[in-house]
Amino acid sequence: MNQNASNQTAEETPAAAQCPSPAPMPEKAGFRHLPEFGTLCLGLAAALAALGWMGLALAVSSPTGGLFPKILTSHLVLGAPMGAVQGAKYAALPLWQNVLFNGLVTTALICLFNTLFGLSVRKIFRLPFLQETFQGIQVDAQRQRRTWARFGIFGIFAFVFIPLPLTGPIVGSLLARFVGLRYWGAVGTVVSASFASILAWGYAADKVQRYLGSRVLQFFLWGLILLTFGLAALSKIRNLLWPSRREAKAEAEEGEAEASLDLEWEGKEEEEGGNAPRP
């Protein structure tokens, strides 16, 4: 009898040690210990820096003041490389300002997306109208996982660097998590790859503008746009030719994406977020 009691006590001790503290920290203090709090601060700082720079240039009637809204629009609609190519069209804008401005914008987008998505998975903060968007991005990332996961961090870097349909920093952020990178490792890799992409495409476009002229650069820009949308259209046409296969595969990948990502976040959130309580 004593031996059974002793065994029972020994079995219960590890479980008790894993239980959360009976007096958890306040919700506000807990959020400050989550990695999402860091990316929220970094994203807001980058966004304020970019908007402040643009507003100041417009206020002082700088020659580059009217260019930043156009670059920002291209970046948001067509992606970071297209924003860099758009900035290279203007001789009045130095290359370093073009790269830095687009870098601030992409840092803000990446950090704020990871913050909202991370808090949504933790069930701390959810926006209903974003849930379907998040779900679709999960499915896209899960589809790309089979191709890029074998290359690890270098595959994530290349995935974000190359401006093709269904690539880029947003899907790349989730793909990095699927591959197994920790929160800050995933964010750092995606931000670095996005900066490298901006620098490479901005530098190439700047040289085209300088040595071949703005007309050639215009063809270069439209060629990239047509290539991107053309590949996306070919992908859609291919899916339409096999609708039953496409729908079955999409449903399977959707369920797999939700289950996989939720399990990965569940397993890592204690390591990354410390003892922060989860509601």
Side-chain angles (χ1 to χ4, degrees):
M1 182 105 179
N2 292 337
Q3 185 176 1
N4 293 336
S6 176
N7 292 338
Q8 185 177 0
T9 303
E11 292 175 357
E12 292 177 356
T13 300
Q18 295 176 1
C19 291
S21 172
M25 293 180 294
E27 185 176 348
K28 185 177 289 188
F31 176 62
R32 288 201 301 268
H33 287 77
L34 294 176
E36 285 84 1
F37 178 74
T39 50
L40 175 63
C41 294
L42 182 59
L44 289 177
L48 290 174
L51 293 175
W53 186 1
M54 182 171 64
L56 181 62
L58 289 171
V60 300
S61 300
S62 169
T64 60
L67 308 181
F68 289 121
K70 299 177 182 178
I71 297 172
L72 179 61
T73 302
S74 296
H75 188 122
L76 295 177
V77 175
L78 300 173
M82 298 305 173
V85 173
Q86 178 73 19
K89 288 172 53 180
Y90 309 113
L93 185 68
L95 177 62
W96 71 269
Q97 292 188 19
N98 183 21
V99 173
L100 181 57
F101 181 78
N102 280 285
L104 289 172
V105 175
T106 197
T107 300
L109 292 175
I110 293 168
C111 290
L112 294 177
F113 169 79
N114 278 275
T115 299
L116 290 175
F117 190 84
L119 294 179
S120 176
V121 172
R122 294 179 189 272
K123 298 181 176 62
I124 294 177
F125 177 75
R126 289 198 171 199
L127 295 175
F129 66 90
L130 287 178
Q131 291 306 114
E132 291 185 3
T133 302
F134 287 156
Q135 188 175 356
I137 295 173
Q138 286 186 60
V139 174
D140 291 338
Q142 186 69 21
R143 289 173 180 170
Q144 301 294 336
R145 179 181 188 176
R146 298 178 179 87
T147 304
W148 300 93
R150 71 189 74 172
F151 303 108
I153 191 171
F154 299 104
I156 302 302
F157 194 95
F159 179 87
V160 176
F161 183 87
I162 302 172
L164 292 175
L166 298 180
T167 66
I170 301 302
V171 179
S173 295
L174 295 193
L175 184 60
R177 299 290 285 175
F178 280 131
V179 169
L181 296 181
R182 300 286 182 85
Y183 187 88
W184 282 109
V187 172
T189 301
V190 172
V191 169
S192 300
S194 191
F195 255 98
S197 180
I198 290 169
L199 178 60
W201 289 102
Y203 180 81
D206 182 73
K207 294 305 178 185
V208 171
Q209 162 78 7
R210 182 172 300 182
Y211 296 110
L212 300 179
S214 58
R215 184 177 295 274
V216 176
L217 180 60
Q218 192 72 20
F219 283 118
F220 178 69
L221 175 61
W222 280 106
L224 286 177
I225 294 174
L226 291 175
L227 176 64
T228 301
F229 285 97
L231 290 174
L234 287 176
S235 178
K236 292 289 185 183
I237 293 172
R238 185 189 63 182
N239 289 334
L240 289 174
L241 294 178
W242 297 280
S244 59
R245 180 181 176 185
R246 177 180 58 85
E247 291 173 4
K249 186 177 179 182
E251 289 179 3
E253 287 174 341
E254 182 177 333
E256 185 182 351
E258 286 188 19
S260 176
L261 193 61
D262 285 342
L263 286 175
E264 288 176 11
W265 241 281
E266 289 282 352
K268 292 177 183 177
E269 67 179 354
E270 286 190 4
E271 298 176 7
E272 296 176 345
N275 296 321
R278 175 170 178 167

